[in-house]
Each structure stands twice: as structure tokens, then as C-alpha cells.
């Protein structure tokens, strides 16, 4: 039995600017990601990786083509519905963390739930769980500028899959981290995805990409190759 | 998601960002707190200058149950307000007199009354002699002492009629210690047994408190009678006593005031002042609100921009636009409330500590209880003010919030700026607004001139003219505001201009200019704030430094002394009886001529010059009603030509009369007014004060007007008349009219129609009046007087000083037999400096805060500059240049418009000329920007640590 498709891009095109400045960031990219599946996207700088991810995350609108997240066609959604989808369904991890400096770690993680109307105590409990699963529950009461870069990114990931999320999108989440930290971050991501999420990981690092079920290679805005990775159980450890 | 939840998050984030960005939040709070501080200090001061019933009871009555004063002869028409010891006529017809007054002991035979009489006596002082207030009677009665009306400061109360208490300032003026003796000029001696403070006077008042009858009573004194026991009179009894001519302040009436319909009387000039207050408010509210809104608005623009990254993160997490907007507005409300609260607390504290000094404008002098009955906090107003600050926060952060809620998430997260080009459209808009503002000011000024000169045959024409004038004044104000808004709209272009100018001065200036233009939205609020604050400040300065104050100080520099032949200034004999002129002249023969006194004055060296004033006798004016032989002289009137020719001026002077409307309705036909030349209703004050004509040569003219004016002198010698106010001049002509005393008398019902003679003379108005010029409103030369057969007599000696003179000097001169009418006045220069200080501090605070905010925003750029090796001098020069350029440009433009509007307001509304306080203007225009530049130059940090721009704001 195949799992349901949670992320689907159908012939997505994206151009920036016009006239002489026109840039074709995506030239007809299509992909599907099912529940429990993590795909990695690799490619040279400027090839359109981030553009693809932001379109999948509803942060950017495609010039043409369709994007379906959890059976919603994003281009047809109104601003409000898109916002709801972002706070209920999609978890997004930025390369540069994007934590809110005035909120503590646990408050940052609880924010999407609170924005969705959950009461503060429940949201905090869920956030603590999420932090625990990232192994950083002891940082809960600190402010973002009081912890290290690796810790910040783990907070950002904890935030991205707090609550009943279905889709996890990460744009070079380990770009600022050393390899040991990177591995623990990706391990945590993989674990969540195995629990039934669909995930896209943009990365330069082949070692990290190996954690994915499939690797898509993108060049000049087109997906040019797809590599299947073999599951190597020891990589998932006893977790 | 629920609204509640949304607000909880919004408040949390807002609260946190206030806490975590302390300096920036502090500056935003301060920018709101500064105007709120001013407003709440004013409100608290206003409340503290109004007495409560219990304070009125305490200070007016102490433990007494009632206070009485006999003010008029019995008259059915007399009445009072329950809380005011002042009789008025219910239907004002001027029939109330001070003829036969009742004896209060006969009206209230069973009541035990303590009398306190307030009068004057001449005492020997440390430097000479001087008139000093004397309160006769038991002012220190246990019912008053330390109970409110008076407080014993030192020593004990008098036990015999040769013992007195004095105020501390009188003690100084006498130059004695407690236990020593003071004496009157006539030789009565008193031992000073203590010092006492009387709360009905300020602490600068010199008072001697003595027992009843210990000093001969002088006419013109007033007596208060205190009832210490028994029942205080009811309102019914008060009404009855009023008709006996007695005013009453009754404890029971004050505690239980009668129902309003019984309060028949208007408060003193209540109707007129209410309108005045209202129209002043109409002026000041938009004027005061403008800087508050602009300052707060720019503060919130900073605040909202500071939050854009937080908002973008939230948006990426799926926060709706509503939530984002709520976060910004909530933090606006939060900062507004904090700013409002701290402003209110500071304002209240200012009044708590300096309230009395603010009232007297002096640290040394404490006010009377009436001026400052106690520290009162106007809770209602202050709470409203704090709430209003919150609302202001909400309103002025709404627009930035809308903008912020529509953030381009990705662009913001990438740290992209979304700064547009200076749009041509704003340039056109600004130009249109500037031209419109200018046109409105010009049109309004023309409208005012038209209203002033429009023909007014009927009453309705006056009403229309008044309406037009008011409209014109508002128009001038609105024109100024439109112009300032024009500058604000065109601020992008102004920044371009600044850049173009300062980039000529070198590399770092070029960089400073580029930064100004590139980060326009960072610096534009600074410019707007400075513009508006200077606009309001300059306008207030140019209006407040008006001709009236100038005149007051000029008045205070002219001191007059009456020549020897007037009996009413004679000191009294020891028995209190008036000496005869013969007796007085015999005792001091050398003082009998004005010329002699003038010589004495000039010898003192206390004055720059002096002249004998020779004038026509004034029929009503007591000083000149008799000659040295005691005969009435022929009466001369100098007619104000406006009474006949210029109805507008009548209206002007009638503005002071409450009967204006009634009179206008009765005498709708202007021609009718000629019958009132000698006593035109509503003009009574002016006519009575301005009746004499001075006969003077050129030198005397110079002394009287305290200046050299070739035009005036030429008019005088050519047989014309020099007048000191435009109200006496009509198209270059003034009319002199005089009346034969023999035909202008009681027997003829003071009918002047047959007694008057009149002649028109070419006239010249000396601008800028001084005190004596109002009294001797016209000057003709001795030759002209001879030609017209007008006789003049010495009526006074006039002396000019450099500055108002102190009691020490007057006492000394009086000790030498030179008696003065001593004028005092607030120094208008001091007032202008006060305004300058307040405006300067406000401007400096406002610009420093706005600049500080912009510099915090610019910190990352400064760090980058430091990282690539820009030395401190480069950075400090850059910041100082920006501070100066922004402040100076804002000051020049805003201040320029403010002064222009102030000028047109004053010149079109006033009959006098305007004098601009240049030193103060220059200080504000150059000093404040230089100080701002200096502050930012000094506070540029030496070492800036380079920080990687992180994803934290
Ligand atoms: N906001 C934008 N405006 C214009 N061009 C853009 C924008 N964002 C991305 N691009 C261009 O689109 C292309 C793909 O960019 P991106 O998706 O960020 O690449 P990657 O993440 O693979 O390095 C690049 O050529 C980039 O310059
Ligand atoms: Mg990228």
C-alpha cells in the first residue's frame, strides 16, 4: 500500500523580473513526496533549490504550474487560507534560523501552536515535547542570543515540527553547523518524517543527502536526475 | 484563531520587544512622554491653582464663621455670588455708589466682630522711606493664627499697640532684627516682636501687622470684619445684607451653596473670558497636537520597522495579517501607555515640587493662597491623558502596522530593503501644498485687512467683521500648517537638497549625505519632527514676544513724580488729618516747583534723563483738577477722532465692555455716537485716561517717548500733533477738542455741545508706546499751544531709567523727598528667554530622540564601517553632520514658517508693531542644531565591535 501524496509540484515555472532582468529560476519542475518520505534536493548555487522550496512552502507563488500540499492547491488559496496552511500543516526550517529574539526558546517553539489558537499551557507542553525530542529541553528558558548556532537550528527544527504537522521543508538547515551537529539535526528530522510526514531537504552535503529516500538533482531550474538511496539501517541506529 | 489568543500573543511579543530593546523602547517612550509631560504639568498646575471649598474656608476664614466687607451704599440691586466677597449689580446700571456706607455694628448689633483694616503708611526703611502695607487689627487672633489665614514664623504675637509683626521680606526692607524698633515717617515707633506669613499675599509683600488704631487710618483703606462665634449667616441673610451694601463670605453658605438658579451674577467678565479661553483652546489644541502626533507617529514608524523581521518570521509560521497588525498596534498601545504614564508622573512631580515657583515665576517668592491653594492632582484628566496616549499609540502605529503586516516575507528575511526612489509625485504634491499654504496666508491677511477697514454703518456689519477677522486668523494658522505639511510631504526632496549641499564639503560629508538619502525612511521622521516642533515654537515665540510686553517694560522704565502742588499725595499728620497745602508747602518750601524736583531727580544719577511734563488740566483726572491756588482750570479734551470718524476703533475699545452689544444695538446709527464724545459708553476707560494734551518742546518729546524720532520732531515743530496711538489718528489728522469749564458743569448736566471747541491738526503716530504717552496722549509744541490759546501747567516730572528700579532705590529717593509712581513689569526679554529655553529643550529632546532612534537603526552600518577601518573621527563627523543638517534644515524651514505666520498674526491683529526677539531666534535656529551635532559627535562610540549580521534583529 502506497502512502498518500502530501507534496506535489506539477510543472512549476518561476520567473523573476522581466525584460532584460528576467531570470527563469524554475523551468517546469515536477515532484511528489509521500507521507513518511524524505527527499533531498541537490544542485549548484543559483540552480533554483530555494525557489522550489519556497514555492512548496507557500511563501512564493509560482508563475505557472500547480503546487498541492495535503490536497490543497496553493495557487487557488486565499491569503488567509494560505496562512492557516502554513501554521497548521507546513513546517519550514530556514538556513539562518529566523527565531524571534524577544521570545524564549520554548516560546519560539510554541508560537505556531499559539498562533493557531491553542492555549498557552498546552502549546508550551507540546513545545517542550518537541524540544525534548531534539535533546535541548534544558535550553527552554533561554533567549536565542544566549545559545549557539547549532542549538538555534535545533530550536528552529523543533519549531518546524511542533504540533500536528504533515510537511517538513528545510533549506540548507545545517549550512551553519559543524558535521557532528549536522548529523544529530538530520537524525531528528528523519525520525519525525518516519512518523508519517513528508519532507524536502535542500542541501549541498552528500553525506546528509544520504539520509533521504530519494535525491533529486536540479540544474538551471530543471530536475535533471533522480537517485534512489538505499536504506542503511545502521544510519538510523536503534532510534 | 480567537481574537483573545491573538491579543495575548500580540501583547506578549510587544511586551518582550519593549523589554529586550531597552534603549530604543526608552527613546520611543520618551518621545511620547515629553509632550505628555508638558500637558500634564499644565493640567496639574491649573488644578492646583483652583481652590476647593475647604481650602477657601481655611485660608479666608480660619476658624471664623463669616467674613464681611461693606462695599457700597445700600442698594436693592446689589448681590453677590456665594463664594466671592464681591458685590455686583444684578442689572448693571452704574447706580451703586460708595456714598453713605452702613455701620456694620448697627446692622449686626448682636454679633461680636473682629475687624482687620488694610491700609498703607510711610515707614523709614533701610535705604530711605517707602509706603508699606499695614494690616490693622488682630490679624493674629487665635481663630486665624496657624489656622490657615496667617502663620507665625518667628517670635510672639504683639501684646501692646506699640508692638507689631512683619512679613520676612518687610523685615529685610526695614533692615532690622526681631526685638528692634521700626518707625513711620511721622515718628511713630513700633517694636517688631515676630514675623508672620499672610497667605492672602505673596511672600514678596512687605506688610506690617499692627493693633487697631495704632496707626492713624488713611482714607481709601478697606476693612474686613470677622465673626468668630455664633451661627454663620444663611444665604437668605446674605442676600439681605447684600442690599445693605455688605458682601459676606459665610461658612454655612460655602459648605452648602444655594441652588444654581439663585446665582444670578456672572463671574467677573466671565462671559468674555470664557469665549477668550475657548478661542485660545481652538488655536492651541491643533497646534499642540501637531507635534505630538508627528513625534509619536515617527516614533512608531521606528518601532514598526524594528519589528518587521519579527513580523516576517511570524508570517512564515502562518500568522495572519490580522495577527501581525495586532502585534504592531499592541506594541504601539503598550509604548503609548508607558510614555503617557511616565509623562504624567513627571508632569505631576514637576508641579508637586515646583508648582508655587511656577506660579510666581520665581524660586524666592511664594504665591498667595488664591494663586496656589494647594497641590491638586486632576485624576480624571490625567487618566484620560494616559488612555489618550495609548489611543495615540494605537492610531499612530496603525499605518506602519498595515504596512508591516503586508511584508514581503522572503525579502524581509533576506534582509532586503524596500526603499523606493524619491517619487516625482510627492515633489508635485509638496509644491502644491507649499503654494496653497502661502496663498491661504496671504488671502487671510488680506481678509483681515478688509474686515478691519470695511464700512460699518450697522451693528450687523460689526458682527460680520468680527466673524471675518476670526476666520482670517484661523486662515493664517491653517496656511502655516498646510505649508509645514507641504515640507513634510516633500521631505524626500529636502533630503536630496541637504545631500547636494553637504556633499560639497568632503568625503565623509558626501557619505553622510548619501546615507541620509539612501535610508530616507530612517531620517525623514527626524526632519518632520524638527519641522513641526520649530514651527510651533517659533510661532509661539514671535506671538508671545508681542508689543504688549515690550510696552510693559517700557512703562516700567518710566517713573513719574508729581510736582509739589498736588494735595492728595501729601503725607498725613500724626493725627491722621490731612494737612493743608499751605502747611505742607510751608514745611518744605524748596519742593514746591516741578523744576526743582526734576533737578533733584537728575542729580540722583539713578535715571538717564528727566523732564517736566506740562499739560492741559484734565477735568476728571484728580491730579490736575486744580491749580496751585486751588482753582479749577479751563478743561481741555483731546478727542479721539475714531469716535467720530472711525467706528472700527470704537468697536476695538468696546471689546472691554460687557455692554458692547447693548450699546451697539441702541446706537446702530454711527452718527448717534457723536453725542457721546465726552463719555462714550464702553470707551469710558480710555477717554478718562487720555484727556490731557502735553505742551512740549523737542527735547521733552524725546524724554517722553524715550527715543529720537526726526519725523515726530518735524511734525511737532511744523505745528502738528504727535500722538502715541493709532486710535487718536485718522488719515494723518487728529482732532483736539477742549471744553470751557464754566459751561461744562453739573448745572448744565455736563452737556458739552455748547462748550466744546475743536481743531484738526496734522498728526504723526509714534510707534511703540510708553506709559506716559498713554496718559498724555498728544503732544503739541509751545508755539502751537500759544497760537490756539491753550494753557498748560506742570503736572508731573517724568524720568527714564535703564531698567525697572527696586524698592531700595525708590525708598532712598523718597527719603530725599522724591516721590514716585513705581511701575514694575515682567521683563519681556526674560519671558522670551523662558520660551526659548522651553522650546529649546523640547526641540533638543525631540531631535535627540528621533536622531537617536535613527542612529540605533544605523548601528549595523556603523559597525560595518568600523570593521572596514573607518576611524572614529570619520564616524563621529558623519553623525554630527547628519544631526546638524537635519536639525538646522528642519529648524530653518519650520521656524521660518512659524515666524512668518506669527508675524502676520501679530501685525494684522495688533495696532502696534512687532519686535522679533532676535537673540532668542538665533539661539534656537543655530544653537540647538549645533548642540545636537555636538552631542552626537561626543557620543559616537570609540570602538565598535563588528558583529556578523545574524538572523536576530
Ligand atoms: N527575489 C528574486 N529576484 C530575482 N531573482 C531571484 C530572486 N530569488 C532568486 N532569484 C534568482 O533565481 C535563481 C535561483 O535562485 P535560488 O532558488 O535562490 O537558487 P539556490 O537556492 O539554488 O542557490 C538565481 O539565479 C537567483 O538569482
Ligand atoms: Mg538557496
Amino acid at each position: 500500500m502506497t502512502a498518500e501524496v502530501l507534496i506535489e509540484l506539477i510543472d512549476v515555472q518561476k520567473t523573476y523580473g522581466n525584460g532584460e532582468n528576467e531570470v527563469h529560476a524554475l523551468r517546469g519542475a515536477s515532484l511528489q513526496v509521500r507521507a513518511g518520505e524524505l527527499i533531498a534536493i541537490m544542485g549548484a548555487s543559483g540552480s533554483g533549490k530555494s525557489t522550489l522550496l519556497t514555492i512548496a512552502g507557500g511563501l512564493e507563488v509560482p508563475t505557472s504550474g500547480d503546487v498541492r500540499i495535503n490536497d490543497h492547491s496553493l495557487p487557488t488559496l486565499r491569503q488567509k487560507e494560505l496562512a492557516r496552511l502554513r501554521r497548521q500543516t507546513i513546517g519550514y526550517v530556514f538556513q539562518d534560523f529566523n527565531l524571534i529574539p524577544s521570545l524564549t526558546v520554548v516560546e519560539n517553539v510554541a508560537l505556531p501552536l499559539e498562533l493557531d489558537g491553542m492555549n498557552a499551557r498546552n502549546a508550551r507542553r507540546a513545545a517542550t515535547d518537541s524540544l525534548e525530542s531534539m535533546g535541548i529541553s534544558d535550553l527552554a528558558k533561554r533567549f536565542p542570543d544566549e545559545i549557539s548556532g547549532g542549538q538555534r537550528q535545533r530550536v528552529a527544527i523543533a519549531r518546524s515540527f511542533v504540533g500536528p504537522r504533515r510537511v517538513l521543508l528545510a533549506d540548507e538547515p545545517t549550512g551553519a553547523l559543524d558535521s557532528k551537529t549536522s548529523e544529530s539535526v538530520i537524525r531528528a528530522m528523519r525520525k519525525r518524517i518516519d512518523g508519517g510526514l513528508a519532507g524536502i531537504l535542500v542541501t549541498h552535503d552528500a553525506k546528509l543527502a544520504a539520509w533521504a529516500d530519494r535525491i533529486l538533482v536540479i540544474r538551471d531550474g530543471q530536475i535533471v536526475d533522480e537517485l534512489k538511496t538505499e536504506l542503511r539501517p545502521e544510519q538510523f541506529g536503534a532510534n | 484563531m480567537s481574537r483573545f489568543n491573538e491579543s495575548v500573543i500580540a501583547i506578549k511579543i510587544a511586551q518582550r520587544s519593549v523589554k529586550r530593546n531597552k534603549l530604543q523602547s526608552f527613546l520611543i517612550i520618551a518621545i511620547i512622554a515629553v509632550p505628555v509631560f508638558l500637558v500634564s504639568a499644565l493640567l496639574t498646575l491649573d488644578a492646583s491653582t483652583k481652590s476647593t471649598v475647604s481650602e477657601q474656608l481655611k485660608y479666608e476664614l480660619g476658624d471664623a464663621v463669616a467674613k464681611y466687607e461693606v462695599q457700597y451704599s445700600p442698594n436693592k440691586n446689589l448681590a453677590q455670588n456665594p463664594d466671592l466677597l464681591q458685590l455686583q449689580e444684578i442689572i448693571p446700571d452704574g447706580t451703586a455708589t460708595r456714598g453713605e456706607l452702613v455701620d456694620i455694628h448697627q446692622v449686626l448689633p448682636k454679633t461680636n466682630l473682629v475687624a482687620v483694616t488694610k491700609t498703607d503708611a510711610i515707614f523709614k526703611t533701610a535705604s530711605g522711606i517707602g509706603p508699606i502695607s499695614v494690616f490693622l487689627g488682630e490679624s493674629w487672633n487665635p481663630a486665624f493664627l496657624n489656622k490657615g489665614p496667617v502663620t507665625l514664623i518667628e517670635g510672639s504675637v504683639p501684646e501692646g499697640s506699640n508692638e507689631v509683626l512683619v512679613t520676612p521680606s518687610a523685615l529685610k526692607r526695614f533692615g532690622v532684627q526681631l526685638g528692634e524698633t521700626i518707625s513711620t515717617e511721622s515718628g511713630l515707633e513700633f517694636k517688631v516682636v515676630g514675623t508672620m506669613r499672610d497667605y492672602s499675599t505673596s511672600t514678596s509683600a512687605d506688610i506690617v501687622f499692627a493693633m487697631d488704631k495704632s496707626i492713624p487710618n488713611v482714607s481709601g483703606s478697606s476693612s474686613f470684619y470677622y465673626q468668630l462665634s455664633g451661627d454663620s449667616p444663611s444665604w437668605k441673610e446674605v442676600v439681605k445684607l447684600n442690599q445693605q451694601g455688605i458682601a459676606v463670605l459665610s461658612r454655612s453658605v460655602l459648605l452648602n451653596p444655594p441652588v444654581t438658579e439663585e446665582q444670578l451674577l456672572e463671574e467677573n467678565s466671565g462671559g468674555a473670558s470664557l469665549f477668550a479661553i475657548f478661542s485660545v483652546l481652538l488655536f492651541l489644541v491643533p497646534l499642540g497636537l501637531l507635534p505630538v502626533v508627528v513625534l509619536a507617529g515617527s516614533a512608531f514608524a521606528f518601532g514598526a520597522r524594528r519589528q518587521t523581521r519579527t513580523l516576517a518570521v511570524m508570517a512564515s509560521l502562518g500568522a495572519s495579517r490580522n495577527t501581525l497588525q495586532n502585534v504592531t498596534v499592541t506594541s504601539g498601545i503598550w509604548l503609548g501607555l508607558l510614555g503617557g504614564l511616565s509623562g504624567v508622573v513627571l508632569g505631576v512631580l514637576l508641579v508637586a515640587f515646583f508648582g508655587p515657583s511656577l506660579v510666581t515665576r520665581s524660586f524666592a517668592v511664594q504665591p498667595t493662597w488664591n494663586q496656589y491653594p494647594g497641590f491638586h492632582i486632576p485624576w480624571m484628566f490625567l487618566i484620560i491623558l494616559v488612555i489618550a496616549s495609548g489611543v495615540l499609540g494605537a492610531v499612530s502605529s496603525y499605518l506602519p502596522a498595515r504596512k508591516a503586516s503586508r511584508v514581503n516575507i522572503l525579502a524581509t528575511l533576506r534582509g532586503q530593503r524596500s526603499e523606493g526612489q524619491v517619487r516625482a509625485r510627492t515633489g508635485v504634491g509638496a509644491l502644491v501644498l507649499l503654494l496653497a499654504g502661502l496663498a491661504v496666508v496671504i488671502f487671510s491677511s488680506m481678509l483681515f485687512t478688509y474686515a478691519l477697514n470695511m464700512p460699518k454703518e450697522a451693528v450687523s456689519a460689526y458682527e460680520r467683521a468680527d466673524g471675518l477677522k476670526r476666520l482670517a486668523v484661523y486662515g493664517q494658522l491653517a496656511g502655516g500648517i498646510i505649508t509645514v505639511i507641504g515640507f513634510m510631504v516633500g521631505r524626500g526632496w529636502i533630503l536630496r537638497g541637504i545631500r547636494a549641499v553637504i556633499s560639497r564639503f568632503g568625503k565623509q560629508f558626501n557619505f553622510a549625505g548619501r546615507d541620509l538619502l539612501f535610508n530616507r525612511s530612517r531620517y525623514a521622521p527626524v526632519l518632520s519632527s524638527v519641522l513641526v516642533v520649530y514651527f510651533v515654537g517659533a510661532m509661539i515665540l514671535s506671538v508671545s514676544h508681542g508689543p504688549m510686553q515690550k510696552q510693559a517694560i517700557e512703562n516700567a522704565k518710566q517713573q513719574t513724580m508729581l510736582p509739589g502742588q498736588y494735595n492728595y499725595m501729601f503725607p498725613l499728620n500724626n493725627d491722621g488729618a490731612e494737612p493743608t497745602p499751605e502747611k505742607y508747602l510751608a514745611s518744605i518750601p524748596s519742593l514746591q516747583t516741578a523744576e526743582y524736583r526734576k533737578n533733584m531727580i537728575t542729580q540722583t544719577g539713578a535715571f538717564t534723563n528727566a523732564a517736566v511734563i506740562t499739560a492741559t488740566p484734565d477735568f476728571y483726572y484728580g491730579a490736575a483738577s486744580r491749580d496751585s491756588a486751588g482753582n479749577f482750570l479751563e478743561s481741555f479734551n483731546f478727542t479721539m477722532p475714531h469716535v467720530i470718524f472711525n467706528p472700527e476703533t470704537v468697536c476695538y475699545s468696546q471689546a472691554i465692555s460687557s455692554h458692547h452689544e447693548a450699546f451697539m444695538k441702541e446706537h446702530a446709527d454711527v452718527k448717534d455716537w457723536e453725542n457721546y464724545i465726552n463719555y462714550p459708553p464702553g470707551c469710558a476707560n480710555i477717554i478718562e485716561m487720555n484727556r490731557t494734551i502735553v505742551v512740549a518742546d523737542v527735547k521733552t518729546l524725546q524724554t517722553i517717548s524715550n527715543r529720537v524720532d526726526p519725523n515726530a520732531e518735524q511734525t511737532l515743530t511744523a505745528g502738528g500733533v504727535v500722538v502715541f496711538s493709532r486710535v487718536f489718528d485718522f488719515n494723518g489728522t487728529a482732532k483736539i477738542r477742549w471744553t470751557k469749564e464754566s459751561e461744562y458743569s453739573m448745572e448744565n448736566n455736563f452737556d458739552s455741545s455748547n462748550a466744546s471747541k475743536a481743531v484738526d491738526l496734522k498728526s504723526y503716530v509714534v510707534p511703540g508706546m510708553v506709559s506716559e504717552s498713554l496718559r498724555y496722549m498728544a503732544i503739541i509744541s509751545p508755539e502751537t499751544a500759544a497760537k490756539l490759546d491753550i494753557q498748560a501747567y506742570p503736572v508731573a516730572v517724568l524720568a527714564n531709567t535703564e531698567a525697572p528700579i527696586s524698592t531700595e532705590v525708590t525708598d532712598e529717593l523718597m527719603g530725599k523727598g522724591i516721590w514716585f509712581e513705581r511701575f514694575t513689569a515682567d521683563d519681556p526679554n526674560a519671558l522670551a528667554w523662558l520660551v526659548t529655553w522651553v522650546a529649546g529643550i523640547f526641540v533638543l529632546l525631540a531631535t535627540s530622540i528621533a536622531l537617536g532612534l535613527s542612529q540605533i537603526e544605523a548601528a549595523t552600518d556603523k559597525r560595518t564601517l568600523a570593521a572596514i577601518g573607518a576611524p572614529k573621527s570619520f564616524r563621529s563627523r558623519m553623525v554630527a553632520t547628519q544631526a546638524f543638517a537635519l536639525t538646522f534644515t528642519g529648524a530653518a524651514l519650520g521656524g521660518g514658517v512659524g515666524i512668518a505666520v506669527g508675524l502676520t498674526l501679530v501685525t494684522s491683529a495688533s495696532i502696534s508693531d512687532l519686535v522679533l526677539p532676535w537673540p532668542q531666534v538665533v539661539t534656537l535656529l543655530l544653537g540647538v542644531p549645533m548642540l545636537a551635532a555636538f552631542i552626537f559627535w561626543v557620543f559616537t562610540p570609540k570602538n565598535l565591535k563588528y558583529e556578523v549580521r545574524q538572523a536576530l534583529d
Side-chain angles (χ1 to χ4, degrees), chain B residues 103 215 239 500 590 649:
Chain B
D103 180 354
I215 292 176
V239 170
S590 58
T649 317

PDB file of all heavy atoms in Angstrom, chain B residues 103 215 239 500 590 649:
ATOM      1  N   ASP B 103     -23.056 101.294  58.954  1.00  0.00           N
ATOM      2  CA  ASP B 103     -22.161 100.861  60.021  1.00  0.00           C
ATOM      3  C   ASP B 103     -22.504  99.412  60.339  1.00  0.00           C
ATOM      4  O   ASP B 103     -23.610  99.099  60.781  1.00  0.00           O
ATOM      5  CB  ASP B 103     -22.366 101.742  61.259  1.00  0.00           C
ATOM      6  CG  ASP B 103     -21.448 101.316  62.396  1.00  0.00           C
ATOM      7  OD1 ASP B 103     -20.756 100.274  62.240  1.00  0.00           O
ATOM      8  OD2 ASP B 103     -21.425 102.014  63.425  1.00  0.00           O
ATOM      9  N   ILE B 215      -1.978 102.937  64.202  1.00  0.00           N
ATOM     10  CA  ILE B 215      -1.506 103.845  63.163  1.00  0.00           C
ATOM     11  C   ILE B 215      -2.738 104.557  62.640  1.00  0.00           C
ATOM     12  O   ILE B 215      -3.751 103.912  62.386  1.00  0.00           O
ATOM     13  CB  ILE B 215      -0.806 103.076  62.027  1.00  0.00           C
ATOM     14  CG1 ILE B 215       0.512 102.471  62.540  1.00  0.00           C
ATOM     15  CG2 ILE B 215      -0.545 103.979  60.826  1.00  0.00           C
ATOM     16  CD1 ILE B 215       1.226 101.624  61.525  1.00  0.00           C
ATOM     17  N   VAL B 239     -28.290  87.565  51.222  1.00  0.00           N
ATOM     18  CA  VAL B 239     -28.963  88.360  50.196  1.00  0.00           C
ATOM     19  C   VAL B 239     -29.448  89.680  50.782  1.00  0.00           C
ATOM     20  O   VAL B 239     -29.319  90.745  50.170  1.00  0.00           O
ATOM     21  CB  VAL B 239     -30.136  87.556  49.588  1.00  0.00           C
ATOM     22  CG1 VAL B 239     -30.993  88.440  48.694  1.00  0.00           C
ATOM     23  CG2 VAL B 239     -29.607  86.361  48.802  1.00  0.00           C
ATOM     24  N   ALA B 500      22.841  67.321  -1.560  1.00  0.00           N
ATOM     25  CA  ALA B 500      23.554  68.096  -2.583  1.00  0.00           C
ATOM     26  C   ALA B 500      24.451  69.138  -1.930  1.00  0.00           C
ATOM     27  O   ALA B 500      25.573  69.390  -2.373  1.00  0.00           O
ATOM     28  CB  ALA B 500      22.551  68.771  -3.515  1.00  0.00           C
ATOM     29  N   SER B 590      11.195 124.209  49.530  1.00  0.00           N
ATOM     30  CA  SER B 590      12.018 124.007  48.347  1.00  0.00           C
ATOM     31  C   SER B 590      11.406 123.001  47.375  1.00  0.00           C
ATOM     32  O   SER B 590      11.863 122.860  46.256  1.00  0.00           O
ATOM     33  CB  SER B 590      13.411 123.541  48.764  1.00  0.00           C
ATOM     34  OG  SER B 590      13.294 122.353  49.514  1.00  0.00           O
ATOM     35  N   THR B 649     -12.541 101.570  15.535  1.00  0.00           N
ATOM     36  CA  THR B 649     -11.781 101.742  16.760  1.00  0.00           C
ATOM     37  C   THR B 649     -12.702 101.740  17.969  1.00  0.00           C
ATOM     38  O   THR B 649     -12.353 101.253  19.027  1.00  0.00           O
ATOM     39  CB  THR B 649     -10.988 103.050  16.707  1.00  0.00           C
ATOM     40  OG1 THR B 649     -10.429 103.144  15.419  1.00  0.00           O
ATOM     41  CG2 THR B 649      -9.890 103.035  17.733  1.00  0.00           C
TER      42      THR B 649
END
